Amino acid sequence: MRLAVLISGNGSNLQALIDAIEAQTLGAQIVLVVSNRREAYGLVRARQHGLETLYFPIKPYRERGQSREAYDADLAARVRAYAPDVVVLAGWMHILSPAFLDVFAGRVINLHPALPNAFNGVNAIERAWQAYQAGEIDHSGVMVHYAIPEVDAGAVIVQERVPFLPDDTFEQFAARIHATEHRLIVEAVRRLAEVLKS
Ligand code: GRF
């Protein structure tokens, strides 16, 4: 199964996919890695593994007074040229409109470090931690879902609870979240491969 992976930062979830593919525990190939941020370390990871990369910032579109939809449509065209079966948003920090999503007919999946309808949007890990400190929740989690225009919504492919532990620090909780992400991003692609085969 051909994957295009979109990142904006560290790329630890991209790395999880690379590691699973190279360990032959995930039957897929990464045909393109896209970042909207030049300094994203995920681009370094991709190049270290000989993967095709594309740096595609929105800034020139803004400077030309063009819309997000214009950027999204051009991004979709660039990604589509690599004929991915699935587009994976792994730490991708730009909300994609139907101008992108519709090109891939529902085969765009997104990793989000919280459970459905809990902490949609940015800083989900920090917000869950604050809710826990306020005694409002006793666990958070991670999900991978189909990307739709509504942020961090869409049908869930896989999700897993992540508990808060006594005398947890934020860093320890965040580390558990990230470890869960690294497993679920691989599991989600594995499940999608099954669905697309059937
Ligand atoms: C992850 O928590 C991801 O869900 C969020 O950014 C964090 C870093 O992701 N969007 P990565 O290391 O860049 O994959």
Side-chain angles (χ1 to χ4, degrees):
M1 190 165 70
R2 298 170 60 86
L3 306 178
V5 184
L6 276 54
I7 63 163
S8 296
N10 176 22
S12 68
N13 288 285
L14 166 67
Q15 189 66 57
L17 290 169
I18 291 170
D19 293 348
I21 290 167
E22 292 186 352
Q24 299 182 340
T25 59
L26 180 62
Q29 66 177 119
I30 297 171
V31 297
L32 179 66
V33 174
V34 184
S35 175
N36 60 345
R37 295 180 184 165
R38 186 192 302 277
E39 72 285 354
Y41 186 68
L43 289 173
V44 173
R45 297 176 189 270
R47 293 180 190 126
Q48 283 171 344
H49 291 268
L51 300 178
E52 187 83 20
T53 60
L54 169 65
Y55 165 53
F56 201 72
I58 193 169
K59 190 162 177 276
Y61 288 77
R62 291 203 171 117
E63 286 167 349
R64 294 192 295 259
Q66 289 183 281
S67 67
R68 291 174 67 95
E69 283 70 21
Y71 170 82
D72 288 3
D74 288 355
L75 175 62
R78 298 292 296 273
V79 172
R80 192 173 183 194
Y82 288 82
D85 297 306
V86 174
V87 178
V88 184
L89 309 182
W92 171 257
M93 305 302 279
H94 166 85
I95 297 168
L96 291 166
S97 67
F100 181 92
L101 298 173
D102 292 352
V103 171
F104 298 101
R107 289 183 180 177
V108 180
I109 66 174
N110 180 54
L111 169 70
H112 185 65
L115 292 177
N117 308 310
F119 299 98
N120 292 3
V122 294
N123 300 323
I125 304 173
E126 293 81 357
R127 287 158 49 212
W129 177 255
Q130 284 156 15
Y132 168 61
Q133 295 296 316
E136 293 160 6
I137 56 174
D138 66 358
H139 69 278
S140 186
V142 174
M143 67 170 167
V144 183
H145 61 93
Y146 287 99
I148 61 173
E150 184 188 350
V151 176
D152 296 327
V156 175
I157 299 166
V158 62
Q159 69 182 71
E160 188 171 307
R161 290 171 63 145
V162 175
F164 294 99
L165 301 178
D167 63 52
D168 238 348
T169 64
F170 172 74
E171 289 71 23
Q172 288 167 326
F173 165 65
R176 280 202 306 281
I177 289 279
H178 291 313
T180 306
E181 286 183 309
H182 301 159
R183 282 190 290 105
L184 293 198
I185 191 83
V186 173
E187 177 58 26
V189 171
R190 194 173 288 131
R191 292 189 187 186
L192 214 50
E194 290 308 310
V195 166
L196 296 183
K197 252 190 244 160
S198 56

